[in-house]
Amino acid sequence: NTVSSLQEYARGKEKSEQLIQQIMDADDRLHCCIVRPTFIYGGDEFGWNPPRLPTKFGEIIEALLGLYPVQALSELLPDILGVALEAPLNVQAVAGSIVNV
């Protein structure tokens, strides 16, 4: 079941973030920045757990959902409906931004 797989994926991410935060809070010398992009695309294959879109498909979706009317609508919609209309991000762009922090 895809819904339960996505729920398990989300729970795993949440638990991992909590563990990282606990470790960082225990040592004042350590600092972290948790990045939570809405959806990442890249590579050659579709996947459900973790969710993945291939690069070519992701580029098309990013272009469509990145249009101003769609972005304006996503800001007006509540919670998950608004998030569902946010444009996905290319894995290389996300990785590059993290490396450059």
Side-chain angles (χ1 to χ4, degrees):
N1 178 338
T2 13
V3 172
S4 64
S5 294
L6 290 173
Q7 289 171 335
E8 289 174 29
Y9 173 74
R11 276 193 297 273
K13 285 180 58 87
E14 186 176 315
K15 286 181 182 179
S16 298
E17 287 180 13
Q18 289 171 354
L19 180 60
I20 290 167
Q21 197 63 54
Q22 287 172 359
I23 292 168
M24 296 297 163
D25 289 345
D27 189 336
D28 290 337
R29 298 171 297 156
L30 300 175
H31 303 282
C32 72
C33 175
I34 296 175
V35 178
R36 294 183 185 123
T38 54
F39 196 86
I40 296 177
Y41 70 87
D44 299 325
E45 298 178 9
F46 282 97
W48 285 107
N49 193 4
R52 294 275 185 261
L53 284 175
T55 300
K56 296 294 181 192
F57 189 69
E59 288 171 346
I60 294 167
I61 299 297
E62 180 182 25
L64 292 172
L65 294 180
L67 295 171
Y68 176 75
V70 178
Q71 287 298 296
L73 178 61
S74 75
E75 292 178 14
L76 296 174
L77 293 173
D79 302 324
I80 193 69
L81 295 176
V83 171
L85 289 180
E86 290 186 15
L89 304 169
N90 183 286
V91 67
Q92 298 299 327
V94 174
S97 68
I98 293 169
V99 169
N100 291 320
V101 168

